[in-house]
Amino acid sequence: MPRRAQPPVNERVRGWLFERAEDEVLRRNGDNRIVGQYGTTWLDITDRQNGMALLHAEGWRSYGKRQPARLARLSYLWGPDDAGAGPWAVRVSGTVTTVTDALAWLTPAEVAAAEAKGRRVRRQGDVYAVETTRAHDGRGLDLLPDSHEWRASTRYLLHRPADGRRHRALRLPWPVRFVPQTAYEMGRTNTRTNAD
């Protein structure tokens, strides 16, 4: 009996990656499909870079009998957490179809400007720590999400997300100001929230 040929390795890896990414999107209450009058469109990977994947779907969603179907788009950026606490997924603009564009969309303008000026920038979860002057050290503390704690005496930023995963403490020996990262809330909304 002839042996069945397995899909190529890149297809198996892509399938494994997609399953992990879709599971994380669903775990965070995201949608994995667009249901409309012309059928269902499912998420698919449109780009992969540096261990991250961009999941995207577009289709015609019905919004009721009196409303014509409208083009709807979903995009999620998925990847391993930078602190080793597990995978994460955030919803980005539905027009985004590449990892590079998703990262640019997520990066606050203040952070991009600081990087362009050669300032040091570190990220922990959904908070950026941007190098600044001593006079501005600690700015943005009022913007820190509840899951973050700044310990000025030891210069450590701590992050304990609501799901219980622990992130490594981030040591910041230079003066810093904090800038939160935002993304769209999961579900059918255009409201932005912390991207954790």
Side-chain angles (χ1 to χ4, degrees):
M1 183 155 120
R3 201 170 147 192
R4 282 199 323 196
Q6 286 195 349
V9 173
N10 63 340
E11 285 182 30
R12 287 182 295 190
V13 168
R14 189 176 192 279
W16 174 84
L17 189 67
F18 177 77
E19 285 178 23
R20 290 194 64 203
E22 183 183 44
D23 286 349
E24 188 64 18
V25 166
L26 293 173
R27 186 183 79 76
R28 292 174 180 257
N29 299 316
D31 291 329
N32 66 345
R33 65 188 179 272
I34 297 171
V35 179
Q37 73 184 69
Y38 305 116
T40 300
T41 305
W42 296 87
L43 286 176
D44 195 15
I45 294 174
T46 58
D47 189 33
R48 295 186 323 205
Q49 292 178 35
N50 303 323
M52 292 181 276
L54 195 290
L55 282 74
H56 179 78
E58 53 183 79
W60 294 90
R61 180 175 278 153
S62 299
Y63 291 91
K65 292 180 181 181
R66 295 180 183 219
Q67 297 288 327
R70 288 185 281 169
L71 184 62
R73 295 180 178 102
L74 284 173
S75 292
Y76 299 95
L77 180 63
W78 172 89
D81 185 273
D82 58 345
W88 55 266
V90 293
R91 185 172 157 229
V92 297
S93 171
T95 60
V96 171
T97 58
T98 68
V99 169
T100 300
D101 289 346
L103 292 171
W105 187 88
L106 282 169
T107 303
E110 294 174 68
V111 173
E115 289 175 329
K117 291 178 183 174
R119 296 206 176 129
R120 291 179 277 196
V121 175
R122 300 292 182 272
R123 184 176 62 83
Q124 186 184 64
D126 54 345
V127 171
Y128 290 91
V130 179
E131 181 180 21
T132 190
T133 62
R134 287 203 187 284
H136 296 101
D137 190 27
R139 282 249 169 109
L141 281 175
D142 57 324
L143 302 175
L144 284 179
D146 292 340
S147 60
H148 288 269
E149 178 187 350
W150 172 239
R151 294 188 178 168
S153 61
T154 59
R155 308 295 302 172
Y156 277 102
L157 180 62
L158 306 176
H159 184 205
R160 292 186 177 85
D163 64 8
R165 299 182 306 170
R166 295 180 71 86
H167 292 226
R168 279 185 241 125
L170 182 61
R171 178 133 166 68
L172 300 161
W174 59 84
V176 294
R177 63 187 167 92
F178 301 102
V179 180
Q181 180 186 63
T182 63
Y184 286 138
E185 285 183 356
M186 294 293 195
R188 294 183 188 179
T189 177
N190 286 330
T191 304
R192 288 185 75 139
T193 187
N194 292 334
D196 190 24

